[in-house]
Amino acid sequence: MSVGPEGLRVAKKRQARVAIRREALRLFLAQGFAATTVDQIARAANVSPRTLFRYFPTKQAIVLADSGGDQFAQAVRHQPAGLSRIEALRGAVHELFGAQSPDEQWEDLAQERLVTSTPELAAVALTQVRTNIDALTEALTDRAPTQPHTNRQLAGALVGLLLALDVPDQPTGTAFAARVDNALDVLRPSFPE
């Protein structure tokens, strides 16, 4: 099966985006966020600074890209209809975190280390937390429209739980999903169906 020119273009764009982000994270961890320049990132990723800015408008956007809020909300929406809200959340966690590659796991840990150690990133990340809670609330409300208030509380509880578990040097991937399983069991009595 051959890939047409449009498919190759999309693949090249994805590769460039991944390379820029991976090299930026590596440099930020090695040199510090403030000390790393856009020119250094572009050079390491083998792109021009102009190309870098087509993918990421700021250095902050490189770190905070792909925070996963929308992906997680979509994964919750795609869980089987008969599942409880807690089980839909559990399924989404396993779908997203259980299937991560080692590179994706490294990126998650690098992002978390940078956010927790860089005040200007932490401030922007706080805004993303609210956005993620909003997206997750909508996904839960799609599943349980008669419980809008507890849907927001559950979304906030889960996001807080994920933040508490996703600290530097904690496991990611399957190990992370297993830890979330245990935490969701603790939440279950507070959020009956």
Side-chain angles (χ1 to χ4, degrees), residues 2-122:
S2 66
V3 178
E6 193 63 32
L8 289 174
R9 200 170 306 128
V10 170
K12 279 185 79 171
K13 285 182 177 184
R14 185 182 185 305
Q15 287 172 345
R17 181 179 170 80
V18 167
I20 292 167
R21 187 157 194 265
R22 188 164 296 133
E23 291 303 322
L25 292 173
R26 185 184 60 75
L27 288 168
F28 292 150
L29 289 172
Q31 301 175 172
F33 181 78
T36 302
T37 67
V38 168
D39 287 338
Q40 289 172 325
I41 297 166
R43 194 171 29 257
N46 201 26
V47 298
S48 70
R50 186 176 180 171
T51 298
L52 183 148
F53 283 125
R54 277 191 220 130
Y55 292 97
F56 302 99
T58 65
K59 284 186 352 180
Q60 292 172 338
I62 297 171
V63 176
L64 298 171
D66 306 325
S67 70
D70 288 333
Q71 282 182 314
F72 191 76
Q74 283 300 90
V76 169
R77 282 187 178 94
H78 291 121
Q79 297 304 305
L83 294 180
S84 69
R85 292 177 297 169
I86 295 286
E87 291 309 312
L89 293 171
R90 187 183 315 275
V93 165
H94 282 275
E95 180 180 319
L96 292 179
F97 295 108
Q100 282 185 318
S101 70
D103 285 342
E104 291 167 327
Q105 292 176 20
W106 178 85
E107 286 179 19
D108 278 357
L109 288 175
Q111 178 182 22
E112 189 65 29
R113 285 186 188 115
L114 287 164
V115 167
T116 58
S117 66
T118 311
E120 65 255 46
L121 292 173

Side-chain angles (χ1 to χ4, degrees), residues 169-189:
D169 301 319
Q170 291 293 350
T172 58
T174 306
F176 181 72
R179 291 186 61 178
V180 175
D181 276 348
N182 293 334
L184 284 169
D185 287 339
V186 172
L187 289 179
R188 182 184 301 280

Side-chain angles (χ1 to χ4, degrees), residues 69-70 72-74 76-77 85 130-145 147-148 151-156:
D70 288 333
F72 191 76
Q74 283 300 90
V76 169
R77 282 187 178 94
R85 292 177 297 169
R130 181 172 290 277
T131 301
N132 291 343
I133 290 170
D134 291 344
L136 187 52
T137 298
E138 287 179 27
L140 289 169
T141 300
D142 288 348
R143 298 185 68 82
Q147 301 178 26
N151 287 335
R152 182 150 190 87
Q153 293 166 356
L154 179 55

